Amino acid sequence: DQQVKQNSPSLSVQEGRISILNCDYTNSMFDYFLWYKKYPAEGPTFLISISSIKDKNEDGRFTVFLNKSAKHLSLHIVPSQPGDSAVYFCAASPWPGFNKFYFGSGTKLNVKP
Amino acid sequence: EAGVAQSPRYKIIEKRQSVAFWCNPISGHATLYWYQQILGQGPKLLIQFQNNGVVDDSQLPKDRFSAERLKGVDSTLKIQPAKLEDSAVYLCASRQTHSRNYGYTFGSGTRLTVV
């Protein structure tokens, strides 16, 4: 049972434009969300997080938006750069202290020069 | 800060054979995880350790998978006997008990192919 879903397996964006990666979840108990970035032959690396008390969190070019009523979050990358080309995973947990994260299947982002 | 170390990077075995993976977490990280990532899917938690104790192994196929973390540092994950569907990348991750962002640090993984 997939509790975290990333319905777009891939996304292609022109350099300098905005990349929007989407993630949906089904468990209303999820309270804390992470985005990870993964390059080939490497492990995922932590990118940005958001807790349910917020609806937005920014870190440089990366912004995560959370819509709890829709059980939806999105990652915006502005402006997109070729080095952002990677697989992006979203992950969710009922409570950060619980520390068991459920991952989506990932979206492969390709930023074209 | 050194990252999470895993070995081997790649392993090819025949079905019904056994295999073991090793993980050395970041120094001082009390929590250690093993994840299985099948091609095209997100990582799935197999087992979580806090120091040398198991916190969650509810998704570990215990008839064939085992894991240990002796002395609360290094960990090994074993599969015996392997099946074709065990082909995946096995990721080890660790985190500090009181981490600012609750994110894990992952190793590069071990890619297992069962033929």
Side-chain angles (χ1 to χ4, degrees):
Chain A
D1 179 28
Q2 197 81 13
Q3 299 192 58
V4 179
K5 298 178 184 178
Q6 293 176 259
N7 293 318
S8 298
S10 63
L11 175 67
S12 189
V13 170
Q14 204 66 37
E15 181 179 5
R17 299 291 189 99
I18 184 172
S19 296
I20 300 176
L21 296 97
N22 293 305
C23 179
D24 296 292
Y25 60 96
T26 56
N27 189 337
S28 58
M29 298 300 292
F30 285 153
D31 212 38
Y32 195 80
F33 306 88
L34 306 174
W35 282 93
Y36 280 87
K37 176 179 177 179
K38 184 182 182 305
Y39 292 118
E42 294 183 13
T45 55
F46 169 77
L47 191 58
I48 193 169
S49 63
I50 189 167
S51 74
S52 61
I53 61 172
K54 290 185 169 184
D55 55 15
K56 177 182 172 182
N57 190 25
E58 271 183 274
D59 185 0
R61 296 185 297 113
F62 302 90
T63 303
V64 57
F65 294 92
L66 175 63
N67 183 334
K68 281 206 76 176
S69 60
K71 297 192 184 68
H72 176 83
L73 66 156
S74 60
L75 175 68
H76 292 212
I77 307 173
V78 183
S80 301
Q81 299 174 354
D84 297 328
S85 297
V87 178
Y88 290 79
F89 293 97
C90 68
S93 174
W95 170 56
F98 183 65
N99 210 46
K100 179 175 178 176
F101 283 93
Y102 298 84
F103 282 79
S105 54
T107 296
K108 186 173 182 179
L109 174 66
N110 179 33
V111 180
K112 297 177 286 187
Chain B
E1 174 180 80
V4 176
Q6 288 189 248
S7 68
R9 288 299 306 271
Y10 305 94
K11 191 76 177 178
I12 301 175
I13 62 172
E14 295 182 351
K15 59 184 178 183
R16 291 186 289 273
Q17 284 188 322
S18 62
V19 65
F21 313 127
W22 174 83
C23 172
N24 180 234
I26 292 174
S27 177
H29 282 196
T31 312
L32 183 148
Y33 311 82
W34 283 101
Y35 275 82
Q36 179 193 58
Q37 186 180 9
I38 293 171
L39 186 65
Q41 299 181 19
K44 184 184 90 170
L45 179 67
L46 291 176
I47 188 167
Q48 175 185 346
F49 291 95
Q50 182 71 21
N51 297 308
N52 60 349
V54 175
V55 174
D56 184 349
D57 64 356
S58 58
Q59 297 192 83
L60 187 74
K62 298 181 189 61
D63 57 334
R64 298 183 301 106
F65 286 64
S66 64
E68 60 181 10
R69 192 184 183 198
L70 299 176
K71 301 179 183 177
V73 182
D74 293 7
S75 178
T76 56
L77 175 70
K78 296 179 183 177
I79 308 175
Q80 182 180 14
K83 293 185 175 181
L84 295 176
E85 59 260 36
D86 298 331
S87 295
V89 175
Y90 290 85
L91 294 161
C92 178
S94 69
R95 74 176 276 269
Q96 292 176 315
T97 302
H98 301 292
S99 170
R100 181 179 64 86
N101 56 41
Y102 301 101
Y104 313 151
T105 301
F106 281 92
S108 299
T110 296
R111 181 177 294 278
L112 174 68
T113 302
V114 183
V115 297

